[in-house]
């Protein structure tokens, strides 16, 4: 087997363009077709706009790196605040319930004044 390229013939088509035609020997076996399937590249629209407006490549790289990082950090902060708010509500409800049940008339009055102050 030689590693020389296959013979190629250049022909002119009726519209004036040129095309290359390979002179292949006749074969009885079906021709093998190799198809390469590639994953689509990520969308870089924001980076293209940034580079087009004169922003340097360093700023674009920082946006690519820190953009998802910032989203992750803000999500974590929001989750922490939600958990803390839930704990405050549960603890306040627990304190009011304990004061009502243990404190007698003074506890009920304190719980009543606390609930009135929360309504305002």
């Amino acid at each position: 087997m030689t590693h020389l390229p296959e013979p190629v013939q250049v022909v002119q088509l009726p519209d004036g363009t040129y095309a290359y035609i390979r002179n292949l020997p006749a074969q009885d076996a079906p021709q093998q077709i190799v198809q390469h399937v590639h994953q689509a590249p990520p969308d870089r629209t924001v980076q293209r706009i940034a580079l087009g407006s004169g922003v340097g490549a360093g700023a674009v790289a920082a946006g690519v790196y820190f953009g998802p990082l910032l989203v992750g950090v803000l999500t974590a902060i929001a989750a922490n605040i939600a958990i803390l708010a839930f704990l405050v509500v549960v603890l306040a409800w627990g304190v009011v319930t304990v004061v009502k049940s243990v404190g007698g008339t003074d506890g009920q009055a304190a719980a009543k004044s606390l609930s009135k102050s929360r309504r305002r």
Side-chain angles (χ1 to χ4, degrees):
M1 176 176 237
T2 63
H3 295 290
L4 297 174
E6 297 175 3
V8 176
Q9 181 182 4
V10 179
V11 294
Q12 188 173 8
L13 299 174
D15 64 351
T17 59
Y18 291 93
Y20 295 96
I21 298 176
R22 280 197 250 168
N23 297 326
L24 299 175
Q27 296 177 350
D28 293 334
Q31 185 180 6
Q32 180 181 7
I33 298 174
V34 179
Q35 183 178 8
H36 298 279
V37 179
H38 298 279
Q39 183 179 2
D43 185 20
R44 302 272 187 227
T45 305
V46 174
Q47 289 85 352
R48 287 191 190 110
I49 292 170
L51 285 174
S53 64
V55 176
V60 173
V64 170
Y65 179 76
F66 290 114
L69 194 64
L70 180 64
V71 170
V73 168
L74 292 177
T75 304
I77 291 171
N80 287 338
I81 290 173
I83 290 171
L84 287 175
F86 177 74
L87 286 175
V88 166
V89 168
V90 168
L91 289 175
W93 173 79
V95 167
V96 168
T97 304
V98 168
V99 168
K100 270 186 184 179
S101 62
V102 174
T105 58
D106 291 337
Q108 288 177 356
K112 195 175 207 180
S113 68
L114 183 62
S115 68
K116 282 183 183 178
S117 68
R118 273 193 285 150
R119 287 184 196 161
R120 292 181 189 174

